[in-house]
Amino acid sequence: MSESVTTPVTTSAPLATIASLSAHEGQTITLRGWLYNLRASGKLLFPIFRDGTGTIQGIVPKAAVSEEVFETLKNLTLESSLTVTGKVRADSRAPSGYELDVESIEVLQRVPEDTPFPITLKEHGVDFLMEHRHLWLRTPRQSAILRVRATIMRAAAEYFDTNGFIRTDPPILTPNACEGTSELFEMDYFDDDKAYLTQSGQLYIEATALALGKVYSFGPTFRAEKSKTRRHLTEFWMIEPEVAFLELDGLMNLAEGFITHIVTRVLESHRADLKVIGKDIAKLEAVIGAETGIAPDAISTTAPDAISTTAPDAISTTAPDAISTTAPSPTKDPSSRPERSEVEGSASLPQQPNQPHNVSTNKFPRLSYDEAHAMLEKAFAEGKLEAPHKYGDDFGSPDETYISSQFSKPVMIHRYPAAFKAFYMQPDPLDPTKALCVDVLAPEGYGEIIGGSQRIDSYDLLKSRIEEHHLPLDAFQWYLDLRKYGSVPHAGFGMGIERAVAWICGLDHVRETIPFARTLNRIYP
């Protein structure tokens, strides 16, 4: 049974939060929160309070408060809920820069001594912490991660909202999959039909993009992939933009501006939280800096032109509103082989208003699949990788980790072999064995955080691809209709929020990036 103990607060000081204490220096305020930790030194107590916005140390000299207040705090158990009143005092030695000279306290609920709060300052195993995730969330580091996560989600939506995108929500229950049904959660639907939990809203927002021009979706997605890696969850959140009249290079510009905006917002609001988490803030500052961030020895010296560190000169690096709508017609003769400049665009477009961040100041490195493969070959030859990468195969986690660790900025790898990519990806007109797609790998070895592509805009080609992948044509008839009635080039990408949080916060595993992780072996609590 819990205990209710009351030591009345005797003042009518204004309510404040720990995060707002800088505005109350020298003032007496009241906080509502919990006792995170308590240290005693003779006639002096050092309680640490938390309120969800941060933590602050209190100072309680026995001579400065009533005996009741002193004894109540001295014997208070961890995570007991309380209201505390005191004077805010600046102290450069304190982690937050402030301390609280406690005057009075009211205990709302005292945690019983016979059932103490199970998570202490000592080290606990991962299984124990995940079993008590509902309580682990209260610790400063986990709370800081969730605050950063909230800002990442808000900034992600903000970027699209302020650039003319319309949010359109796709269904969570779907009759088919984006890339086949082998990794989907299947469920019984009405009248003996089958339904699947969505793995992506992409197909549906392609429809809304052809109705509204620029759209995005933001919601939970599910993968039944039986993976135990540090990068995989079975339930996660995905944000996915889709833009009509957009080709691959414009898509990479969009992704670059999007990531830059998110990192900037986190740095603006969460430097203290990042310090609590243990993230090296300088590594995030490098992401939004002007340098290209290329490791000097990353690329083979036999291919001096093998890497582009900027968007092609012919492509606008402005906000999404500036995306060219002069893409080649989807009915153009497929036998013709245009010059690269014709494929990528030929004119720089004017700067648009309300642009959150200009991607031209970033210059994320861009490598083709072939260039990335050459990098891996060089690394293996130098003994930096245990296994060679086979040309024509997708990159595995060790490959992505190595490539991304060579850069201080996210690196974009484009034009992968079409053979192992999704059926809906547009082939490169200069090399149809390659797909017009891109993966964005986060620096510091965190691997893929964004995957996207230009979509097939030809009805006949898409139909043949569906058949080649042995997917049910009837289930995709509505998707084919998008190519029958006014088809245009279009492109989009998806970013998993949890992988972005792991990278930005510097976490070893995605299980800490979401309040309640769902993994192969965990669905509790």
Side-chain angles (χ1 to χ4, degrees):
M1 294 290 292
S2 63
E3 303 176 38
S4 294
V5 179
T6 301
T7 301
V9 174
T10 58
T11 68
S12 57
L15 287 173
T17 64
I18 292 172
S20 70
L21 291 186
S22 61
H24 297 281
E25 182 182 348
Q27 300 176 14
T28 297
I29 54 90
T30 295
L31 298 175
R32 292 173 174 171
W34 298 264
L35 180 66
Y36 170 65
N37 194 26
L38 177 64
R39 181 169 58 89
S41 178
K43 297 182 179 181
L44 197 59
L45 301 178
F46 300 95
I48 296 179
F49 305 109
R50 67 172 189 87
D51 72 346
T53 71
T55 60
I56 188 170
Q57 179 172 272
I59 307 296
V60 191
K62 188 172 184 179
V65 296
S66 69
E67 184 176 350
E68 182 182 16
V69 168
F70 190 85
E71 290 300 319
T72 297
L73 260 176
K74 183 179 179 180
N75 296 296
L76 199 56
T77 47
L78 300 188
E79 283 304 307
S80 293
S81 53
L82 50 81
T83 299
V84 60
T85 294
K87 188 174 183 179
V88 179
R89 176 172 45 81
D91 190 326
S92 59
R93 298 169 299 176
S96 66
Y98 298 91
E99 290 185 336
L100 187 70
D101 293 327
V102 175
E103 299 173 0
S104 58
I105 184 173
E106 178 181 354
V107 179
L108 304 179
Q109 189 263 320
R110 187 176 188 275
V111 174
E113 293 178 349
D114 59 345
T115 56
F117 188 70
I119 298 176
T120 63
L121 295 180
K122 72 174 185 179
E123 187 172 341
H124 297 281
V126 171
D127 287 342
F128 177 87
L129 292 172
M130 292 304 296
E131 193 77 9
H132 294 84
R133 180 63 173 169
H134 53 298
L135 303 177
W136 188 24
L137 294 173
R138 302 185 184 189
T139 60
R141 186 171 183 271
Q142 298 303 310
S143 294
I145 291 169
L146 293 188
R147 286 191 291 269
V148 173
R149 173 191 170 94
T151 291
I152 289 172
M153 296 181 77
R154 183 167 57 252
E158 176 188 52
Y159 183 80
F160 296 127
D161 290 340
T162 57
N163 278 279
F165 284 68
I166 305 298
R167 177 169 176 169
T168 59
D169 299 316
I172 291 178
L173 295 178
T174 67
N176 53 266
C178 276
E179 303 168 23
T181 58
S182 61
E183 296 179 356
L184 268 72
F185 288 103
E186 181 182 297
M187 60 176 290
D188 292 329
Y189 205 59
F190 301 109
D191 299 326
D192 296 324
D193 281 345
K194 296 293 183 182
Y196 303 92
L197 294 180
T198 182
Q199 65 177 182
S200 168
Q202 178 206 315
L203 303 191
Y204 291 95
I205 63 171
E206 285 188 52
T208 58
L210 297 184
L212 298 167
K214 298 192 299 184
V215 301
Y216 74 99
S217 66
F218 202 172
T221 51
F222 308 85
R223 298 281 173 97
E225 183 178 3
K226 293 184 177 181
S227 175
K228 296 181 180 179
T229 77
R230 63 186 179 92
R231 299 176 180 173
H232 287 86
L233 295 170
T234 57
E235 177 184 342
F236 55 98
W237 282 69
M238 182 89 78
I239 187 164
E240 301 177 88
E242 193 77 25
V243 184
F245 302 102
L246 182 64
E247 296 183 317
L248 178 60
D249 289 286
L251 184 69
M252 289 193 281
N253 293 341
L254 178 64
E256 187 170 332
F258 174 68
I259 293 172
T260 302
H261 179 72
I262 290 173
V263 172
T264 300
R265 286 288 185 257
V266 169
L267 287 172
E268 287 173 351
S269 304
H270 294 286
R271 288 179 178 267
D273 282 328
L274 292 170
K275 185 176 180 181
V276 169
I277 295 166
K279 175 69 176 186
D280 184 350
I281 295 175
K283 292 181 178 179
L284 290 181
E285 291 174 330
V287 171
I288 61 175
E291 73 284 353
T292 59
I294 304 171
D297 297 326
I299 305 299
S300 171
T301 55
T302 60
D305 297 324
I307 179 169
S308 170
T309 61
T310 61
D313 290 340
I315 301 298
S316 168
T317 55
T318 56
D321 278 338
I323 291 163
S324 171
T325 59
T326 58
S329 166
T331 59
K332 186 172 181 176
D333 181 4
S335 64
S336 64
R337 294 180 60 82
E339 296 298 323
R340 177 69 71 187
S341 60
E342 182 182 350
V343 177
E344 295 178 341
S346 58
S348 181
L349 294 164
Q351 176 98 2
Q352 297 296 307
N354 302 319
Q355 178 183 333
H357 295 284
N358 189 336
V359 298
S360 65
T361 63
N362 281 312
K363 303 177 182 177
F364 287 4
R366 300 182 184 187
L367 289 74
S368 70
Y369 172 88
D370 289 357
E371 293 157 1
H373 169 73
M375 177 189 291
L376 295 173
E377 278 193 321
K378 183 174 185 288
F380 177 71
E382 295 173 349
K384 298 176 181 178
L385 285 175
E386 293 183 2
H389 174 257
K390 181 181 177 182
Y391 186 84
D393 287 352
D394 201 357
F395 298 126
S397 291
D399 301 322
E400 290 185 348
T401 297
Y402 177 79
I403 294 170
S404 61
S405 69
Q406 303 305 299
F407 301 88
S408 61
K409 294 176 180 289
V411 56
M412 298 180 171
I413 302 180
H414 55 86
R415 293 176 171 84
Y416 285 73
F420 61 75
K421 284 299 186 178
F423 71 91
Y424 50 74
M425 293 186 179
Q426 178 78 16
D428 185 345
L430 297 185
D431 180 1
T433 67
K434 299 293 200 306
L436 293 179
C437 60
V438 61
D439 284 351
V440 182
L441 309 185
E444 305 173 60
Y446 276 90
E448 180 190 345
I449 55 172
I450 280 180
S453 71
Q454 185 173 328
R455 321 306 190 187
I456 290 175
D457 52 54
S458 162
Y459 179 97
D460 291 336
L461 179 56
L462 181 60
K463 183 174 180 289
S464 67
R465 288 293 175 84
I466 292 173
E467 292 171 339
E468 289 170 9
H469 282 73
H470 307 292
L471 297 172
L473 200 59
D474 289 346
F476 288 92
Q477 191 56 56
W478 69 270
Y479 187 58
L480 283 165
D481 281 349
L482 304 180
R483 279 72 178 171
K484 184 185 293 185
Y485 304 105
S487 183
V488 299
H490 58 288
F493 64 74
M495 185 186 80
I497 292 298
E498 288 71 24
R499 288 192 180 184
V501 174
W503 159 52
I504 289 173
C505 291
L507 307 180
D508 292 332
H509 200 290
V510 291
R511 61 181 163 237
E512 294 183 55
T513 65
I514 190 169
F516 297 96
R518 296 292 176 253
T519 62
L520 178 60
N521 297 316
R522 180 163 297 281
I523 199 170
Y524 176 90

PDB file of all heavy atoms in Angstrom, residues 178-198:
ATOM      1  N   CYS A 178       3.769  -3.104 -49.758  1.00  0.00           N
ATOM      2  CA  CYS A 178       4.588  -2.310 -50.673  1.00  0.00           C
ATOM      3  C   CYS A 178       5.584  -3.186 -51.416  1.00  0.00           C
ATOM      4  O   CYS A 178       5.864  -2.976 -52.578  1.00  0.00           O
ATOM      5  CB  CYS A 178       5.351  -1.241 -49.887  1.00  0.00           C
ATOM      6  SG  CYS A 178       4.420   0.244 -49.581  1.00  0.00           S
ATOM      7  N   GLU A 179       6.145  -4.144 -50.716  1.00  0.00           N
ATOM      8  CA  GLU A 179       7.246  -4.918 -51.296  1.00  0.00           C
ATOM      9  C   GLU A 179       7.042  -6.415 -51.057  1.00  0.00           C
ATOM     10  O   GLU A 179       7.975  -7.146 -50.788  1.00  0.00           O
ATOM     11  CB  GLU A 179       8.563  -4.449 -50.682  1.00  0.00           C
ATOM     12  CG  GLU A 179       8.801  -2.960 -50.878  1.00  0.00           C
ATOM     13  CD  GLU A 179       9.949  -2.441 -50.033  1.00  0.00           C
ATOM     14  OE1 GLU A 179      10.806  -3.253 -49.657  1.00  0.00           O
ATOM     15  OE2 GLU A 179       9.989  -1.241 -49.766  1.00  0.00           O
ATOM     16  N   GLY A 180       5.812  -6.901 -51.144  1.00  0.00           N
ATOM     17  CA  GLY A 180       5.534  -8.300 -50.848  1.00  0.00           C
ATOM     18  C   GLY A 180       5.068  -8.465 -49.418  1.00  0.00           C
ATOM     19  O   GLY A 180       5.139  -7.540 -48.615  1.00  0.00           O
ATOM     20  N   THR A 181       4.570  -9.654 -49.075  1.00  0.00           N
ATOM     21  CA  THR A 181       3.936  -9.858 -47.777  1.00  0.00           C
ATOM     22  C   THR A 181       4.771 -10.717 -46.829  1.00  0.00           C
ATOM     23  O   THR A 181       4.291 -11.117 -45.777  1.00  0.00           O
ATOM     24  CB  THR A 181       2.562 -10.531 -47.960  1.00  0.00           C
ATOM     25  OG1 THR A 181       2.750 -11.788 -48.644  1.00  0.00           O
ATOM     26  CG2 THR A 181       1.638  -9.655 -48.768  1.00  0.00           C
ATOM     27  N   SER A 182       6.010 -11.012 -47.166  1.00  0.00           N
ATOM     28  CA  SER A 182       6.804 -11.930 -46.349  1.00  0.00           C
ATOM     29  C   SER A 182       7.156 -11.348 -44.992  1.00  0.00           C
ATOM     30  O   SER A 182       7.455 -12.094 -44.066  1.00  0.00           O
ATOM     31  CB  SER A 182       8.081 -12.321 -47.091  1.00  0.00           C
ATOM     32  OG  SER A 182       8.876 -11.175 -47.361  1.00  0.00           O
ATOM     33  N   GLU A 183       7.154 -10.018 -44.851  1.00  0.00           N
ATOM     34  CA  GLU A 183       7.548  -9.403 -43.594  1.00  0.00           C
ATOM     35  C   GLU A 183       6.401  -8.598 -42.988  1.00  0.00           C
ATOM     36  O   GLU A 183       6.628  -7.638 -42.259  1.00  0.00           O
ATOM     37  CB  GLU A 183       8.771  -8.510 -43.814  1.00  0.00           C
ATOM     38  CG  GLU A 183      10.013  -9.288 -44.248  1.00  0.00           C
ATOM     39  CD  GLU A 183      11.203  -8.400 -44.492  1.00  0.00           C
ATOM     40  OE1 GLU A 183      11.047  -7.167 -44.402  1.00  0.00           O
ATOM     41  OE2 GLU A 183      12.295  -8.919 -44.767  1.00  0.00           O
ATOM     42  N   LEU A 184       5.175  -8.999 -43.270  1.00  0.00           N
ATOM     43  CA  LEU A 184       4.016  -8.288 -42.752  1.00  0.00           C
ATOM     44  C   LEU A 184       3.283  -9.103 -41.698  1.00  0.00           C
ATOM     45  O   LEU A 184       3.302 -10.330 -41.713  1.00  0.00           O
ATOM     46  CB  LEU A 184       3.035  -7.946 -43.890  1.00  0.00           C
ATOM     47  CG  LEU A 184       3.260  -6.569 -44.522  1.00  0.00           C
ATOM     48  CD1 LEU A 184       4.526  -6.589 -45.351  1.00  0.00           C
ATOM     49  CD2 LEU A 184       2.081  -6.177 -45.375  1.00  0.00           C
ATOM     50  N   PHE A 185       2.626  -8.390 -40.801  1.00  0.00           N
ATOM     51  CA  PHE A 185       1.753  -9.040 -39.833  1.00  0.00           C
ATOM     52  C   PHE A 185       0.389  -9.237 -40.485  1.00  0.00           C
ATOM     53  O   PHE A 185      -0.270  -8.286 -40.886  1.00  0.00           O
ATOM     54  CB  PHE A 185       1.612  -8.177 -38.573  1.00  0.00           C
ATOM     55  CG  PHE A 185       2.855  -8.151 -37.733  1.00  0.00           C
ATOM     56  CD1 PHE A 185       3.708  -7.050 -37.758  1.00  0.00           C
ATOM     57  CD2 PHE A 185       3.184  -9.220 -36.912  1.00  0.00           C
ATOM     58  CE1 PHE A 185       4.851  -7.012 -36.990  1.00  0.00           C
ATOM     59  CE2 PHE A 185       4.334  -9.191 -36.132  1.00  0.00           C
ATOM     60  CZ  PHE A 185       5.163  -8.087 -36.170  1.00  0.00           C
ATOM     61  N   GLU A 186      -0.001 -10.487 -40.593  1.00  0.00           N
ATOM     62  CA  GLU A 186      -1.270 -10.825 -41.239  1.00  0.00           C
ATOM     63  C   GLU A 186      -2.364 -10.980 -40.191  1.00  0.00           C
ATOM     64  O   GLU A 186      -2.120 -11.454 -39.077  1.00  0.00           O
ATOM     65  CB  GLU A 186      -1.106 -12.123 -42.024  1.00  0.00           C
ATOM     66  CG  GLU A 186      -2.359 -12.575 -42.774  1.00  0.00           C
ATOM     67  CD  GLU A 186      -2.146 -13.888 -43.500  1.00  0.00           C
ATOM     68  OE1 GLU A 186      -1.290 -13.929 -44.405  1.00  0.00           O
ATOM     69  OE2 GLU A 186      -2.831 -14.875 -43.151  1.00  0.00           O
ATOM     70  N   MET A 187      -3.582 -10.593 -40.561  1.00  0.00           N
ATOM     71  CA  MET A 187      -4.718 -10.753 -39.665  1.00  0.00           C
ATOM     72  C   MET A 187      -5.956 -11.115 -40.477  1.00  0.00           C
ATOM     73  O   MET A 187      -6.031 -10.840 -41.680  1.00  0.00           O
ATOM     74  CB  MET A 187      -4.973  -9.473 -38.866  1.00  0.00           C
ATOM     75  CG  MET A 187      -5.280  -8.247 -39.713  1.00  0.00           C
ATOM     76  SD  MET A 187      -5.675  -6.792 -38.723  1.00  0.00           S
ATOM     77  CE  MET A 187      -7.263  -7.265 -38.054  1.00  0.00           C
ATOM     78  N   ASP A 188      -6.889 -11.767 -39.819  1.00  0.00           N
ATOM     79  CA  ASP A 188      -8.153 -12.102 -40.472  1.00  0.00           C
ATOM     80  C   ASP A 188      -9.031 -10.866 -40.558  1.00  0.00           C
ATOM     81  O   ASP A 188      -9.156 -10.102 -39.597  1.00  0.00           O
ATOM     82  CB  ASP A 188      -8.883 -13.193 -39.688  1.00  0.00           C
ATOM     83  CG  ASP A 188      -8.156 -14.520 -39.745  1.00  0.00           C
ATOM     84  OD1 ASP A 188      -7.490 -14.784 -40.764  1.00  0.00           O
ATOM     85  OD2 ASP A 188      -8.241 -15.285 -38.762  1.00  0.00           O
ATOM     86  N   TYR A 189      -9.617 -10.672 -41.745  1.00  0.00           N
ATOM     87  CA  TYR A 189     -10.548  -9.556 -41.934  1.00  0.00           C
ATOM     88  C   TYR A 189     -11.938 -10.149 -42.127  1.00  0.00           C
ATOM     89  O   TYR A 189     -12.152 -11.355 -41.995  1.00  0.00           O
ATOM     90  CB  TYR A 189     -10.092  -8.719 -43.144  1.00  0.00           C
ATOM     91  CG  TYR A 189     -10.560  -7.288 -43.112  1.00  0.00           C
ATOM     92  CD1 TYR A 189     -10.223  -6.454 -42.054  1.00  0.00           C
ATOM     93  CD2 TYR A 189     -11.335  -6.766 -44.146  1.00  0.00           C
ATOM     94  CE1 TYR A 189     -10.642  -5.133 -42.026  1.00  0.00           C
ATOM     95  CE2 TYR A 189     -11.756  -5.450 -44.130  1.00  0.00           C
ATOM     96  CZ  TYR A 189     -11.417  -4.636 -43.063  1.00  0.00           C
ATOM     97  OH  TYR A 189     -11.837  -3.336 -43.037  1.00  0.00           O
ATOM     98  N   PHE A 190     -12.890  -9.335 -42.430  1.00  0.00           N
ATOM     99  CA  PHE A 190     -14.255  -9.816 -42.594  1.00  0.00           C
ATOM    100  C   PHE A 190     -14.396 -10.700 -43.834  1.00  0.00           C
ATOM    101  O   PHE A 190     -13.662 -10.543 -44.814  1.00  0.00           O
ATOM    102  CB  PHE A 190     -15.233  -8.636 -42.679  1.00  0.00           C
ATOM    103  CG  PHE A 190     -15.191  -7.746 -41.460  1.00  0.00           C
ATOM    104  CD1 PHE A 190     -14.644  -6.472 -41.526  1.00  0.00           C
ATOM    105  CD2 PHE A 190     -15.694  -8.177 -40.245  1.00  0.00           C
ATOM    106  CE1 PHE A 190     -14.591  -5.654 -40.414  1.00  0.00           C
ATOM    107  CE2 PHE A 190     -15.654  -7.370 -39.129  1.00  0.00           C
ATOM    108  CZ  PHE A 190     -15.101  -6.103 -39.213  1.00  0.00           C
ATOM    109  N   ASP A 191     -15.375 -11.612 -43.788  1.00  0.00           N
ATOM    110  CA  ASP A 191     -15.713 -12.472 -44.938  1.00  0.00           C
ATOM    111  C   ASP A 191     -14.499 -13.257 -45.439  1.00  0.00           C
ATOM    112  O   ASP A 191     -14.278 -13.405 -46.659  1.00  0.00           O
ATOM    113  CB  ASP A 191     -16.301 -11.637 -46.084  1.00  0.00           C
ATOM    114  CG  ASP A 191     -17.588 -10.937 -45.668  1.00  0.00           C
ATOM    115  OD1 ASP A 191     -18.348 -11.510 -44.864  1.00  0.00           O
ATOM    116  OD2 ASP A 191     -17.809  -9.802 -46.131  1.00  0.00           O
ATOM    117  N   ASP A 192     -13.707 -13.732 -44.508  1.00  0.00           N
ATOM    118  CA  ASP A 192     -12.553 -14.578 -44.813  1.00  0.00           C
ATOM    119  C   ASP A 192     -11.447 -13.864 -45.590  1.00  0.00           C
ATOM    120  O   ASP A 192     -10.548 -14.516 -46.140  1.00  0.00           O
ATOM    121  CB  ASP A 192     -12.988 -15.827 -45.599  1.00  0.00           C
ATOM    122  CG  ASP A 192     -13.907 -16.725 -44.776  1.00  0.00           C
ATOM    123  OD1 ASP A 192     -13.689 -16.819 -43.545  1.00  0.00           O
ATOM    124  OD2 ASP A 192     -14.839 -17.308 -45.363  1.00  0.00           O
ATOM    125  N   ASP A 193     -11.521 -12.555 -45.658  1.00  0.00           N
ATOM    126  CA  ASP A 193     -10.441 -11.808 -46.298  1.00  0.00           C
ATOM    127  C   ASP A 193      -9.247 -11.700 -45.345  1.00  0.00           C
ATOM    128  O   ASP A 193      -9.381 -11.838 -44.130  1.00  0.00           O
ATOM    129  CB  ASP A 193     -10.899 -10.402 -46.684  1.00  0.00           C
ATOM    130  CG  ASP A 193     -11.709 -10.398 -47.964  1.00  0.00           C
ATOM    131  OD1 ASP A 193     -11.665 -11.418 -48.674  1.00  0.00           O
ATOM    132  OD2 ASP A 193     -12.377  -9.387 -48.236  1.00  0.00           O
ATOM    133  N   LYS A 194      -8.084 -11.416 -45.921  1.00  0.00           N
ATOM    134  CA  LYS A 194      -6.887 -11.175 -45.149  1.00  0.00           C
ATOM    135  C   LYS A 194      -6.521  -9.691 -45.212  1.00  0.00           C
ATOM    136  O   LYS A 194      -6.746  -9.020 -46.222  1.00  0.00           O
ATOM    137  CB  LYS A 194      -5.711 -12.003 -45.684  1.00  0.00           C
ATOM    138  CG  LYS A 194      -5.901 -13.509 -45.562  1.00  0.00           C
ATOM    139  CD  LYS A 194      -5.915 -13.947 -44.099  1.00  0.00           C
ATOM    140  CE  LYS A 194      -6.028 -15.464 -43.990  1.00  0.00           C
ATOM    141  NZ  LYS A 194      -6.086 -15.901 -42.569  1.00  0.00           N
ATOM    142  N   ALA A 195      -5.990  -9.195 -44.128  1.00  0.00           N
ATOM    143  CA  ALA A 195      -5.487  -7.821 -44.084  1.00  0.00           C
ATOM    144  C   ALA A 195      -4.097  -7.851 -43.454  1.00  0.00           C
ATOM    145  O   ALA A 195      -3.720  -8.816 -42.779  1.00  0.00           O
ATOM    146  CB  ALA A 195      -6.423  -6.922 -43.278  1.00  0.00           C
ATOM    147  N   TYR A 196      -3.347  -6.791 -43.699  1.00  0.00           N
ATOM    148  CA  TYR A 196      -1.981  -6.712 -43.192  1.00  0.00           C
ATOM    149  C   TYR A 196      -1.766  -5.366 -42.512  1.00  0.00           C
ATOM    150  O   TYR A 196      -2.279  -4.336 -42.962  1.00  0.00           O
ATOM    151  CB  TYR A 196      -0.975  -6.867 -44.332  1.00  0.00           C
ATOM    152  CG  TYR A 196      -1.140  -8.146 -45.118  1.00  0.00           C
ATOM    153  CD1 TYR A 196      -1.945  -8.184 -46.260  1.00  0.00           C
ATOM    154  CD2 TYR A 196      -0.513  -9.317 -44.712  1.00  0.00           C
ATOM    155  CE1 TYR A 196      -2.116  -9.357 -46.972  1.00  0.00           C
ATOM    156  CE2 TYR A 196      -0.668 -10.496 -45.424  1.00  0.00           C
ATOM    157  CZ  TYR A 196      -1.482 -10.514 -46.551  1.00  0.00           C
ATOM    158  OH  TYR A 196      -1.646 -11.683 -47.259  1.00  0.00           O
ATOM    159  N   LEU A 197      -0.999  -5.379 -41.423  1.00  0.00           N
ATOM    160  CA  LEU A 197      -0.589  -4.119 -40.810  1.00  0.00           C
ATOM    161  C   LEU A 197       0.423  -3.455 -41.742  1.00  0.00           C
ATOM    162  O   LEU A 197       1.356  -4.101 -42.225  1.00  0.00           O
ATOM    163  CB  LEU A 197       0.038  -4.358 -39.441  1.00  0.00           C
ATOM    164  CG  LEU A 197      -0.891  -4.897 -38.352  1.00  0.00           C
ATOM    165  CD1 LEU A 197      -0.117  -5.085 -37.044  1.00  0.00           C
ATOM    166  CD2 LEU A 197      -2.068  -3.961 -38.131  1.00  0.00           C
ATOM    167  N   THR A 198       0.235  -2.180 -41.987  1.00  0.00           N
ATOM    168  CA  THR A 198       1.032  -1.488 -42.997  1.00  0.00           C
ATOM    169  C   THR A 198       2.519  -1.499 -42.681  1.00  0.00           C
ATOM    170  O   THR A 198       2.935  -1.364 -41.532  1.00  0.00           O
ATOM    171  CB  THR A 198       0.554  -0.038 -43.157  1.00  0.00           C
ATOM    172  OG1 THR A 198       1.312   0.600 -44.183  1.00  0.00           O
ATOM    173  CG2 THR A 198       0.727   0.754 -41.867  1.00  0.00           C
TER     174      THR A 198
END
